Amino acid sequence: MYEKIDLTLLNRLLRLIVDHNIADYITAKNNVSIAYKDMMHTNSYGLIRGLQFSSFIVQYYGLVLDLLVLGLARASELAGMPRRPNEYLTFADVETEVSHPIRLYTRYMDKVYMLFKFDGEESKDLIQRYLIEHPDPNNENAVGYRNKMCWPRDCRMRLLKRDVNLGRAIFWDIKNRLPRSITTLDWDNSFEVHHGRCYTNWPRLTDEQWIKVEVALKDLILTDYGKKNNANVSSLTQSEIRDIILGMEISPPSLQRQQVAEIEAQSREQSQMTATTTKTSV
């Protein structure tokens, strides 16, 4: 996402919410020439990390991507009213939630997690539109379809023709919502799993039971992380717990403390080297 930010488009987007002078300043800070020894690079495309307003640009650009993926109507339903916003991953009421196939949506930096629920007609229409653009006479869509082989067999996706076509159709539909000039999705880095009516072993639980399952899975993930990294789970912050559950790779607390200690030791050695002593003569 960071490398594909077009500065001309970014300038036009920034002018929608800030003064044009500020928009020109922000984009001009990234449209510069970088020199290192005998190498020269003119950055006219992409974001230079570490500059002022970089975090704001990423958040604002990510918001634009969210609106493109969800659509203005579904994004408004997911966010709620301006004076009464919805809680995270919730809707105002059940009717609003079931009125659209997108039931859950969240984005962590440049990774998007979505949950769809289609009825028979919606899935059939989406598959037909996909097969019109990408015919599959030899049933080759299942070849190279990513699947979680580490999952239990009764929980992993079965590579049936209809399920595979639906997974590829969803990816094709979401990818077409994002202009290539802004960003794009990569099939090799994506994972789509589908569970239909044929999955009789899929558990049917109540909301209270699902909450207990979620808590148990959370404890299992954190326990496994603590054993692998020799870390105290109780010392983890909420942001670190969220990163671990989402599969992000973070440094264990022991390694972080070691790195902090090394930095402090280096700073002390540097201060001792630069310190000067003076003698006074009587």
Side-chain angles (χ1 to χ4, degrees):
M1 182 175 69
Y2 317 97
E3 292 81 6
K4 293 206 66 175
I5 295 181
D6 183 79
L7 299 181
T8 304
L9 176 62
L10 177 63
N11 185 275
R12 297 297 184 269
L13 292 174
L14 289 173
R15 286 170 178 255
L16 298 175
I17 58 173
V18 299
D19 185 77
H20 66 92
N21 293 317
I22 299 178
D24 295 339
Y25 171 76
I26 294 175
T27 53
K29 292 286 288 185
N30 290 275
N31 188 15
V32 294
S33 296
I34 303 174
Y36 179 73
K37 295 184 178 179
D38 60 342
M39 296 175 288
M40 179 71 70
H41 168 69
T42 302
N43 187 77
S44 59
Y45 188 77
L47 189 67
I48 299 177
R49 305 186 188 185
L51 293 179
Q52 193 177 17
F53 301 111
S54 294
S55 60
F56 166 73
I57 294 174
V58 172
Q59 294 179 54
Y60 179 54
Y61 203 77
L63 176 62
V64 175
L65 298 181
D66 296 337
L67 295 177
L68 289 173
V69 172
L70 290 171
L72 296 179
R74 195 56 174 174
S76 300
E77 294 173 351
L78 185 60
M81 301 297 293
R83 296 185 178 180
R84 192 176 60 183
N86 297 332
E87 295 291 336
Y88 179 61
L89 296 180
T90 59
F91 291 87
D93 49 55
V94 178
E95 291 75 11
T96 305
E97 179 179 359
V98 301
S99 62
H100 195 276
I102 299 179
R103 301 300 173 86
L104 294 177
Y105 177 89
T106 185
R107 178 181 53 81
Y108 187 83
M109 302 298 288
D110 56 351
K111 291 187 177 181
V112 177
Y113 302 87
M114 303 181 69
L115 175 65
F116 296 85
K117 185 175 181 180
F118 297 95
D119 57 24
E121 292 297 327
E122 291 173 341
S123 60
K124 182 179 179 180
D125 178 68
L126 182 58
I127 293 174
Q128 287 179 348
R129 289 192 290 111
Y130 169 73
L131 292 178
I132 291 174
E133 297 289 336
H134 302 84
D136 184 33
N138 299 325
N139 299 325
E140 297 178 352
N141 281 339
V143 178
Y145 194 94
R146 300 187 64 188
N147 200 5
K148 292 289 187 180
M149 303 305 295
C150 59
W151 289 5
R153 181 168 297 182
D154 56 346
C155 294
R156 82 176 66 139
M157 176 181 174
R158 302 173 188 174
L159 298 182
L160 303 177
K161 178 179 178 180
R162 183 181 182 279
D163 296 347
V164 170
N165 288 337
L166 181 59
R168 290 189 178 272
I170 293 173
F171 177 82
W172 167 76
D173 182 52
I174 298 300
K175 183 178 180 179
N176 288 341
R177 299 182 186 184
L178 298 171
R180 294 184 61 86
S181 60
I182 296 181
T183 189
T184 185
L185 299 179
D186 187 6
W187 172 260
D188 295 332
N189 296 327
S190 303
F191 175 65
E192 292 80 20
V193 60
H194 173 257
H195 292 282
R197 297 178 181 177
C198 60
Y199 295 83
T200 56
N201 293 329
W202 190 256
R204 299 179 180 273
L205 306 177
T206 61
D207 293 341
E208 292 77 10
Q209 291 172 330
W210 276 117
I211 293 175
K212 294 180 180 178
V213 171
E214 181 182 356
V215 174
L217 289 176
K218 174 183 176 182
D219 296 338
L220 181 63
I221 294 173
L222 293 178
T223 303
D224 181 70
Y225 175 83
K227 290 181 179 179
K228 288 183 177 180
N229 298 279
N230 193 20
N232 185 10
V233 179
S234 60
S235 62
L236 297 174
T237 62
Q238 292 298 323
S239 61
E240 292 174 338
I241 293 175
R242 180 190 59 189
D243 294 343
I244 295 171
I245 294 176
L246 290 176
M248 305 297 292
E249 295 185 4
I250 65 172
S251 301
S254 59
L255 181 59
Q256 293 178 358
R257 287 192 293 268
Q258 182 180 356
Q259 293 174 349
V260 171
E262 292 177 355
I263 294 174
E264 292 177 352
Q266 292 177 359
S267 62
R268 286 195 298 268
E269 292 177 359
Q270 187 176 4
S271 62
Q272 292 176 359
M273 294 176 59
T274 56
T276 58
T277 58
T278 58
K279 294 182 179 181
T280 58
S281 58
V282 180

